[in-house]
């Protein structure tokens, strides 16, 4: 655990007692503060009390009279669509509002770093898509290269559940817009912006507010290096704001599909090849086409982002390439789980909507596609351009027949359940094809989570190998 610094002998309130709230309450106590906490849910309060956390009803009058700061968990709104009443009360009392990320950046480091030969560093990753894969990929490659590293934030564990940094360690943080928008301190050494597509717009008051939440990591964080995806207008704008001129080496521009010109520092992927350019010349190239853990253009963008961040902390191209080759992928995200007789089996159960499934269908050339489930609004029309990659669809779910009727121009078989779909797909798959679970639908008609659906797919495949 990393203790929270700067609140010794003072009272700090914590609102929300999920994973991050519990860990920050314990970290405050470890740092010499008095933590008082509240959650709207009785079960969460009972769990916290069982862990020795002092409860205080922050909704009552006068609750903030002795409070130095209110720490808010990420899922609790502080502005849009409407601020939580406890946040309103804190602001009315003149109490600053922060979150665990802000406390982490003010607590990580300090005088104890003077004893290290190599000062620990922080890589923070944000964006709309690919944050988890990019963060996990950076962490994996650092470990494969023998660099001490930890992974936390919006992935895995809370930032205060990490251990005190070691000599030369790199802390890799995945940060959502919920985390970057409120943190009062944001000081990563390397900040990564993967891309931007509409998401969480009600929470941020629209697209402009959503981008502004992401932008804070760079504009207020002042990273030594900024790795910026420039395939969207917002990324190009951000890169332009951070660069002093075209030859600026503080900014590493990233693209998937476009060659990036200019005298600065860029990393881009085209036709399956990653290229690094500096000062107008190519300095490295990596063939991504046969890397099983990074299939498709969306994962090539993730690879470019991770590559840029790793180069910024001193790793060489060969070490990064070796790490790419051994990366297994994240569970349920285009995860390669097996291969037999030239047929690959890929678990993309996380594709709970059409946009995610489209990326998976674009990643493979000939697919035995297991799809279906609890369909979301909007239909499946956006998938039609990718049906040329599909040899046959095997539809599962309680509404499998209705789902199959929408697969215009794609041969489809109604299977209903995962075991039948896997058995039929494996029986008909030929060498060079991919049996892909990418449902384009939620799981709740047959499973309690997309993770459980992916685990069932993997179990059914492995039972037949």
């Amino acid at each position: 655990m990393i203790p929270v610094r700067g609140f010794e002998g003072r009272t700090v309130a914590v609102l929300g007692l999920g994973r991050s709230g519990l860990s920050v309450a314990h970290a405050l106590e470890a740092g010499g503060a008095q933590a008082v906490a509240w959650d709207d849910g009785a079960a969460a309060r009972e769990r916290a009390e069982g862990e020795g956390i002092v409860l205080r009803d922050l909704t009552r009058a006068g609750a903030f009279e002795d409070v130095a700061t209110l720490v808010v968990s990420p899922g609790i709104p502080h502005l849009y669509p409407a601020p939580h009443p406890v946040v309103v009360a804190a602001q009315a009392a003149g109490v600053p509002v922060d979150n665990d990320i802000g406390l982490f950046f003010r607590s990580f480091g300090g005088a104890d770093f003077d004893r290290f030969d190599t000062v620990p560093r922080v890589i923070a990753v944000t964006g709309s898509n690919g944050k988890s894969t990019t963060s996990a990929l950076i962490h994996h490659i650092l470990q494969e290269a023998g660099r001490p590293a930890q992974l936390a934030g919006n992935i895995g564990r809370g930032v205060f559940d990490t251990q005190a940094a070691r000599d030369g360690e790199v802390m890799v943080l995945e940060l959502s817009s919920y985390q970057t928008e409120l943190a009062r301190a944001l000081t990563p050494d390397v900040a990564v912006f993967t891309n931007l597509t509409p998401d969480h717009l009600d929470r941020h008051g629209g697209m402009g507010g959503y981008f502004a939440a992401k932008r804070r990591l760079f504009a207020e964080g002042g990273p030594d290096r900024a790795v910026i995806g420039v395939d969207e207008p917002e990324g190009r704008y951000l890169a332009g704001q951070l660069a002093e001129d075209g030859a600026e080496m503080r900014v590493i521009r990233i693209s998937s599909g476009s060659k990036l010109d200019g005298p600065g520092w860029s990393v881009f992927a085209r036709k399956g090849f990653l290229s690094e350019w500096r000062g107008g010349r190519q300095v490295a190239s990596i063939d991504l086409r046969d890397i099983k853990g990074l299939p498709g253009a969306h994962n090539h963008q993730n690879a470019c982002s991770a590559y840029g961040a790793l180069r910024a902390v001193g790793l060489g191209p060969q070490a990064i390439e070796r790490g790419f080759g051994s990366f297994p992928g994240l569970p349920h995200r285009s995860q390669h789980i097996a291969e037999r007789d030239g047929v690959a089996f890929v678990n993309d159960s996380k594709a709970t909507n059409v946009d995610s499934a489209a990326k998976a269908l674009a990643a493979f050339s000939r697919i035995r596609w297991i799809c279906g489930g609890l369909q979301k609004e909007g239909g499946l029309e956006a998938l039609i351009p990718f049906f040329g990659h599909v040899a046959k669809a095997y539809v599962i779910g309680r509404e499998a027949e209705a789902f199959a009727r929408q697969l215009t121009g794609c041969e489809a078989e109604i299977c209903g359940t995962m075991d039948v779909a896997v058995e039929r797909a494996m029986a008909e798959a030929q060498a060079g094809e991919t049996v892909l679970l990418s449902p384009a639908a939620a799981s709740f008609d047959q499973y309690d989570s997309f993770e459980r659906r992916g685990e069932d797919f993997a179990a059914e495949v492995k039972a037949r190998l």
Side-chain angles (χ1 to χ4, degrees):
M1 174 183 290
I2 297 174
V4 174
R5 305 183 188 204
F7 293 98
E8 295 82 356
R10 305 171 76 188
T11 299
V12 178
V14 177
L15 176 62
L17 290 168
R19 183 189 67 182
S20 66
L22 288 172
S23 65
V24 78
H26 288 305
L28 282 161
E29 295 282 348
Q34 170 63 60
V36 295
W38 187 252
D39 193 287
D40 292 335
R45 296 197 300 268
E46 183 178 349
R47 182 173 63 250
E49 197 168 28
E51 294 186 15
I53 295 172
V54 176
L55 298 180
R56 177 187 292 185
D57 185 352
L58 298 176
T59 66
R60 66 172 174 78
F64 286 96
E65 288 180 357
D66 63 340
V67 171
T69 292
L70 171 66
V71 181
V72 179
S73 293
I76 297 172
H78 65 276
L79 186 58
Y80 301 115
H84 190 282
V86 170
V87 175
V88 174
Q91 292 169 336
V95 173
V97 180
D98 206 343
N99 63 13
D100 62 331
I101 302 303
L103 296 188
F104 169 83
F105 277 112
R106 67 183 288 171
S107 304
F108 185 74
D112 55 332
F113 278 18
D114 292 343
R115 71 181 189 273
F116 293 138
D117 292 328
T118 303
V119 174
R121 307 182 76 182
V122 177
I123 297 174
V125 181
T126 195
S128 296
N129 302 307
K131 296 188 300 296
S132 295
T133 297
T134 298
S135 301
L137 181 57
I138 292 169
H139 179 250
H140 169 80
I141 294 172
L142 286 166
Q143 291 190 312
E144 291 289 292
R147 291 280 295 272
Q150 297 185 67
L151 177 64
N154 199 46
I155 184 173
R157 52 186 173 167
V159 290
F160 285 108
D161 289 330
T162 57
Q163 301 303 311
R166 296 167 287 175
D167 194 336
E169 186 159 48
V170 180
M171 184 74 70
V172 184
L173 303 181
E174 179 195 337
L175 300 182
S176 71
S177 56
Y178 289 10
Q179 293 169 310
T180 58
E181 70 173 343
L182 189 57
R184 295 173 67 88
L186 285 169
T187 54
D189 298 284
V190 179
V192 180
F193 178 89
T194 58
N195 50 56
L196 197 77
T197 56
D199 204 1
H200 310 305
L201 300 189
D202 59 335
R203 170 65 180 261
H204 298 295
M207 194 67 177
Y210 179 48
F211 175 52
K214 302 286 189 185
R215 181 180 174 273
R216 290 190 74 244
L217 185 63
F218 302 84
E220 299 186 30
D224 296 333
R225 292 271 190 253
V227 180
I228 310 290
V230 295
D231 288 334
E232 291 86 32
E234 293 87 354
R236 293 191 289 274
Y237 171 81
L238 181 58
Q241 279 203 316
L242 296 174
E244 293 293 333
D245 55 48
E248 173 68 73
M249 291 296 176
R250 179 191 171 206
V251 177
I252 305 174
R253 289 174 169 84
I254 301 298
S255 177
S256 175
S258 299
K259 180 180 178 180
L260 299 178
D261 296 315
W265 193 349
S266 62
V267 181
F268 56 86
R270 294 183 72 201
K271 299 180 180 179
F273 286 87
L274 179 152
S275 297
E276 177 189 4
W277 285 64
R278 289 199 213 186
R281 66 182 185 89
Q282 183 172 323
V283 297
S285 178
I286 297 175
D287 186 350
L288 302 173
R289 293 174 298 175
D290 295 326
I291 297 177
K292 294 177 180 178
L294 295 168
H298 63 300
N299 273 313
H300 293 176
Q301 183 183 58
N302 298 334
C304 289
S305 296
Y307 181 97
L310 291 161
R311 292 291 277 144
V313 295
L315 259 66
Q318 291 183 345
I320 298 172
E321 183 173 11
R322 287 193 296 271
F324 282 165
S326 60
F327 181 61
L330 287 184
H332 317 296
R333 293 172 173 88
S334 293
Q335 178 191 16
H336 185 276
I337 60 171
E339 189 166 332
R340 186 187 71 176
D341 299 332
V343 177
F345 299 88
V346 175
N347 169 20
D348 193 46
S349 184
K350 181 68 165 61
T352 60
N353 57 49
V354 168
D355 289 342
S356 296
K359 290 182 173 63
L361 293 180
F364 304 97
S365 58
R366 189 159 177 83
I367 301 166
R368 300 283 170 175
W369 179 30
I370 299 176
C371 56
L374 188 62
Q375 189 176 337
K376 298 182 179 180
E377 295 181 3
L380 304 178
E381 290 82 2
L383 294 175
I384 293 175
F386 304 98
F387 286 171
H389 293 199
V390 178
K392 185 176 177 181
Y394 305 82
V395 187
I396 63 173
R398 294 179 185 173
E399 301 174 355
E401 186 173 345
F403 194 99
R405 283 199 297 269
Q406 299 177 65
L407 303 180
T408 306
C410 178
E411 182 183 356
E413 178 178 340
I414 297 171
C415 297
T417 58
M418 186 69 74
D419 58 336
V420 175
V422 170
E423 183 175 4
R424 295 293 300 140
M426 291 184 73
E428 296 181 355
Q430 302 175 19
E433 295 182 340
T434 298
V435 175
L436 171 68
L437 170 66
S438 190
S443 61
F444 301 120
D445 59 334
Q446 292 180 315
Y447 301 93
D448 59 9
S449 67
F450 72 81
E451 291 94 342
R452 183 67 192 92
R453 177 172 60 189
E455 290 164 1
D456 190 23
F457 169 72
E460 293 291 344
V461 168
K462 291 175 181 177
R464 292 169 171 77
L465 291 178

